[in-house]
């Protein structure tokens, strides 16, 4: 950034300089959770928004603000900044920062701080917030005496990072701008030389402020496990491609090149085309599982124990490709880690030639037969969660965004969603880095705002996931508002635990209170409090009709279901998958 565009030193000058550097680095979306210490940042952003240089989103809850920024970054595929005041405000961003770290999302935390001389003195709202996110974010601790080059380098590294970065801003003295004219609060920076904001590892001022994320550290021992350069594979072994969250089209293209079964989770970005096996996790309980020789893992698979068991099997050849966060999913520590998706030495013919020409054909036949049995079973239970998941999956038409909550809804859809057609620009995402329910409403709002070209945005959540982030609906009258439909599967509690060990008979006396957690919340009343349209639907046909309409603003469709037979339903699915 040219020095001529920099303001004078001081709290406002430092704030403006950093925001200018972020703007020059491509940040156009800012989420602000207001406070006193961050006042100069807030005023500059208000002016930048007023003149159309950025889009500002103001939220009163820092946790929701962090996940809104995460959703905006996911939807726009650009770095997004979230701005907070000092103290506990910064700590509330930890869940969103952790999720961004594990998914490689460029989230920039701008945390206003007291000057270093006040640390450890007991001064109001003063704590050790620089580096508060530990290994989950790089940190640059900045102050007004730092050179413009150091500020620009810190901001530039944040804009190109594969993951979150904290820019901790020590603001000293008068926080208010010296001029009352709003035109002086924000000044667009002058054009600079190309690449001037790239981080310079040799810059001594930058290194003084930086505590680099371990995943970006060349001394990280995990990196020594990876294969450097592309790997060319023999197409012969009986292979399956496992596509987890964020795998993208590369997993599908690899499966197509090898004519291999593609075991793709809904948020993988690869659950499309002929190679994708719909009922893969149930088929892994059958005889085809014993025939697998090699597994190639792309993305971050987390949905099912059968898949985790498969990719952790030391008897198999397991290849795991690093994702955007730099991590290869290898829970069993048995994989050969790759830096890139491998290629094939000689691609087989479309009918398949490796170790028996019918390898993929048998997977396809088994999947078609099992899917038909599942559909027949679900047809007899039209109000069941599985039937409703099928309706939601069918509503994901081309150019639709679908945000999936963690727990049961994504697993129901994983069983019921027929693989979609390639190249139709569906965007199916969820917070699967750590698979938590935190902040999902805010993430969905961010996805909708970050993808204005989508034909519609649907968020499919369980009731606890929705209630966990109802502050995501706390959107002021002057804020950008998305067009989004929330479908909330309300079974009054945590049904996912019914299918786990704690849902068994020995623990039934304690289950309802400490795992089922019924809440009895009136979602209609909650929506009225937020001025949001609410509708209760129980029939799949009515749900399908409602999802075909395009909302104006935020609406919520509540679908009441029972969780009484969830464990029996899971067992029935396993029975349908057993060979006769």
């Amino acid at each position: 950034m040219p020095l001529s565009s920099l303001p004078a030193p001081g709290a406002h000058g430092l704030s403006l300089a950093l925001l200018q550097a972020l703007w020059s680095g491509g940040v156009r979306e800012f989420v602000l959770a207001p406070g006193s210490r961050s006042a100069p940042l807030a005023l500059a952003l208000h002016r930048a928004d007023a003149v159309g240089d950025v889009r500002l989103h103001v939220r009163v809850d820092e946790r929701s603000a962090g996940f809104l920024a995460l959703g905006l970054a996911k939807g726009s595929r650009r770095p997004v900044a979230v701005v907070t005041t000092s103290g506990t405000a910064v700590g509330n961003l930890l869940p969103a920062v952790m999720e961004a770290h594990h998914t490689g999302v460029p989230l920039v935390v701008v945390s206003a701080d007291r000057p270093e001389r006040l640390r450890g003195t007991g001064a109001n709202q003063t704590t050790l917030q620089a580096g508060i996110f530990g290994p989950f974010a790089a940190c640059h601790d900045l102050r007004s005496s730092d050179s413009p080059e150091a500020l620009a380098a810190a901001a530039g590294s944040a804009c190109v990072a594969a993951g979150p970065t904290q820019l901790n801003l020590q603001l000293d003295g008068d926080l208010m701008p010296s001029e009352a004219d709003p035109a002086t609060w924000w000044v667009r920076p002058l054009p600079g030389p190309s690449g001037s904001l790239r981080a310079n590892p040799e810059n001594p001022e930058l290194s003084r402020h930086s505590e680099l994320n371990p995943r970006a550290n060349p001394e990280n021992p995990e990196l020594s496990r990876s294969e450097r350069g592309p790997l060319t594979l023999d197409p012969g072994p009986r292979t399956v491609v496992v596509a987890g969250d964020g795998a993208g089209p590369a997993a599908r293209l690899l499966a197509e090149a090898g004519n291999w079964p593609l075991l793709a989770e809904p948020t993988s970005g690869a659950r499309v085309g002929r190679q994708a096996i719909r009922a893969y996790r149930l088929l892994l309980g059958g005889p085809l599982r014993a025939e697998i020789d090699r597994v190639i893992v792309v993305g971050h698979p987390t949905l099912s124990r059968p898949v985790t068991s498969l990719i952790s099997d030391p008897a198999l050849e397991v290849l795991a490709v690093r994702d955007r966060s730099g991590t290869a999913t290898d829970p069993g520590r048995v994989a050969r880690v790759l830096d890139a998706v491998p290629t094939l030495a000689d691609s087989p013919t479309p009918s398949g030639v490796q170790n028996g020409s019918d390898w993929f054909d048998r997977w396809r036949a088994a999947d078609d037969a099992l899917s038909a049995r599942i559909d027949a079973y679900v047809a007899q239970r039209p109000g069941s969660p599985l039937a409703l998941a099928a309706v939601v999956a069918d509503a994901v038409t081309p150019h639709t965004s679908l945000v999936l909550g963690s727990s049961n809804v994504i697993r129901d859809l994983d069983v019921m969603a027929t693989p979609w057609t390639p190249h139709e620009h569906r965007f199916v995402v969820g917070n699967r880095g750590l698979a938590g329910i935190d902040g999902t409403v805010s993430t969905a709002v961010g996805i909708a705002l970050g993808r204005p070209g989508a034909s519609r945005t649907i968020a499919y959540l369980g009731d606890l996931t929705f209630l966990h982030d109802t502050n995501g609906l706390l959107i002021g009258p002057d804020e950008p508002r998305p067009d989004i439909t929330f479908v909330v599967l309300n079974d009054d509690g945590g049904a996912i635990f019914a299918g786990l060990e704690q849902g068994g008979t020995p623990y039934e006396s304690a289950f309802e209170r400490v795992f089922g957690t019924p809440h009895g919340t009136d979602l209609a009343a909650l929506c009225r409090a937020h001025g949001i349209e609410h509708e209760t639907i129980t029939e799949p046909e009515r749900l399908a009709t409602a999802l075909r309409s395009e909302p104006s603003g935020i609406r919520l469709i509540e679908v009441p279901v029972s969780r009484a037979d969830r464990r029996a339903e899971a067992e029935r699915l396993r029975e349908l998958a057993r060979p006769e």
Side-chain angles (χ1 to χ4, degrees):
M1 183 170 57
L3 302 187
S4 59
S5 68
L6 289 172
H12 172 245
L14 179 61
S15 299
L16 179 53
L18 184 65
L19 294 178
Q20 286 180 323
L22 289 173
W23 191 91
S24 296
V27 179
R28 295 295 182 271
E29 305 269 9
F30 288 82
V31 182
L32 170 70
S36 176
R37 181 61 35 178
S38 57
L41 292 159
L43 292 173
L45 288 171
H46 183 274
R47 177 61 181 177
D49 177 76
V51 299
D53 284 346
V54 305
R55 185 165 64 160
L56 178 62
H57 311 263
V58 180
R59 296 294 188 271
V60 299
D61 181 335
E62 286 84 7
R63 190 180 71 170
S64 293
F67 279 102
L68 173 62
L70 181 77
L72 285 163
K74 284 187 174 184
S76 67
R77 301 183 187 276
R78 298 181 66 170
V80 172
V82 55
V83 180
T84 76
T85 192
S86 60
T88 58
V90 189
N92 280 310
L93 298 180
L94 178 59
V97 168
M98 292 172 70
E99 179 66 22
H101 168 84
H102 285 280
T103 50
V105 173
L107 181 68
V108 184
V109 173
V110 180
S111 50
D113 198 1
R114 298 284 180 129
E116 187 174 19
R117 59 184 170 79
L118 293 180
R119 295 174 184 170
T121 67
N124 185 39
Q125 290 191 344
T126 302
T127 186
L128 302 178
Q129 67 185 49
I132 192 173
F133 305 117
F136 301 113
C139 177
H140 306 275
D141 196 13
L142 305 169
R143 57 196 181 196
S144 57
S145 60
D146 291 331
S147 71
E149 291 80 10
L151 291 178
S157 67
C159 292
V160 299
T165 303
Q166 180 190 14
L167 303 176
N168 190 64
L169 210 54
Q170 298 181 40
L171 299 177
D172 204 354
D174 190 357
L175 298 176
M176 295 296 103
S178 58
E179 298 291 335
D181 181 4
T184 64
W185 301 348
W186 164 257
V187 179
R188 183 190 293 185
L190 299 174
S194 176
S196 61
L197 291 183
R198 298 294 191 225
N200 180 4
E202 303 303 322
N203 187 335
E205 290 198 70
L206 178 59
S207 63
R208 178 172 62 83
H209 300 297
S210 303
E211 180 175 316
L212 294 179
N213 189 315
R215 77 165 163 252
N217 186 346
E219 301 304 319
N220 188 340
E222 281 291 304
L223 294 182
S224 65
R225 299 174 56 220
S226 67
E227 298 285 341
R228 305 294 182 179
L231 179 68
T232 301
L233 297 178
D234 173 4
R238 290 183 293 255
T239 301
V240 295
V241 178
V242 172
D245 183 69
R252 172 179 62 86
L253 295 174
L254 177 63
E256 290 176 351
N259 197 32
W260 294 324
L262 175 61
L263 318 185
E265 295 182 354
T267 64
S268 65
R271 194 186 176 99
V272 294
R274 183 176 182 273
Q275 304 302 131
I277 303 298
R278 169 183 153 184
Y280 66 91
R281 83 170 191 239
L282 295 169
L283 290 173
L284 286 175
L288 286 171
R289 163 66 170 86
E291 298 184 41
I292 297 172
D293 297 320
R294 180 171 62 191
V295 183
I296 304 173
V297 184
V298 186
H300 182 48
T302 57
L303 280 187
S304 73
R305 293 181 179 183
V307 168
T308 299
S309 174
L310 174 70
I311 66 179
S312 303
D313 189 343
L316 302 178
E317 179 186 6
V318 181
L319 307 174
V321 181
R322 292 189 185 280
D323 61 17
R324 286 177 309 216
S325 74
T327 301
T329 301
D330 178 24
R333 295 190 176 273
V334 298
R336 182 180 178 186
V337 177
L338 309 178
D339 285 334
V341 175
T343 59
L344 297 186
D346 294 296
S347 295
T349 62
S351 61
V353 297
Q354 69 280 15
N355 278 359
S357 61
D358 64 346
W359 173 238
F360 173 73
D361 294 337
R362 288 191 290 129
W363 276 87
R364 168 54 55 218
D367 187 41
D368 290 345
L370 177 54
S371 296
R373 293 195 295 273
I374 292 172
D375 291 342
Y377 164 68
V378 172
Q380 299 170 7
R381 308 174 72 250
S384 69
L386 290 175
L388 298 167
V391 172
V392 173
D394 288 343
V396 186
T397 53
H399 301 280
T400 295
S401 298
L402 174 64
V403 183
L404 291 169
S406 294
S407 300
N408 270 335
V409 293
I410 189 171
R411 289 167 173 83
D412 293 341
L413 191 133
D414 188 41
V415 170
M416 298 307 299
T418 300
W420 294 291
T421 303
H423 312 298
E424 291 186 342
H425 304 289
R426 293 172 178 85
F427 190 66
V428 183
V429 292
N431 287 338
R432 300 303 304 172
L434 292 177
I437 65 173
D438 314 49
T440 310
V441 172
S442 298
T443 301
V445 169
I447 294 291
L449 290 171
R451 300 192 77 236
S455 61
R456 61 172 56 84
T457 301
I458 300 169
Y460 189 37
L461 316 177
D463 52 310
L464 293 184
T465 300
F466 173 73
L467 291 170
H468 202 270
D469 187 31
T470 53
N471 272 0
L473 302 176
L474 191 57
I475 304 173
D478 298 324
E479 303 311 310
R481 298 182 73 86
D483 297 326
I484 183 172
T485 298
F486 286 94
V487 180
V488 177
L489 194 75
N490 188 358
D491 54 19
D492 193 31
I496 191 169
F497 298 111
L500 302 177
E501 289 83 355
Q502 52 264 58
T505 303
Y507 316 107
E508 60 186 3
S509 63
F511 180 85
E512 190 66 2
R513 183 180 181 193
V514 300
F515 296 110
T517 58
H519 51 80
T521 303
D522 186 340
L523 298 191
L526 191 152
C527 287
R528 284 195 300 273
H530 286 285
I532 291 169
E533 176 186 349
H534 173 277
E535 182 178 7
T536 299
I537 292 177
T538 57
E539 301 83 12
E541 297 78 9
R542 282 189 57 206
L543 178 60
T545 300
L547 291 179
R548 284 194 291 270
S549 65
E550 297 184 12
S552 176
I554 303 174
R555 68 170 174 174
L556 185 142
I557 299 174
E558 180 182 357
V559 187
V561 296
S562 171
R563 54 185 167 88
D565 60 350
R566 272 295 200 167
R567 192 174 185 87
E569 180 184 75
E571 178 55 34
R572 180 56 181 151
L573 289 178
R574 288 190 288 269
E575 290 174 358
L576 292 173
R578 291 183 187 126
E580 298 178 359

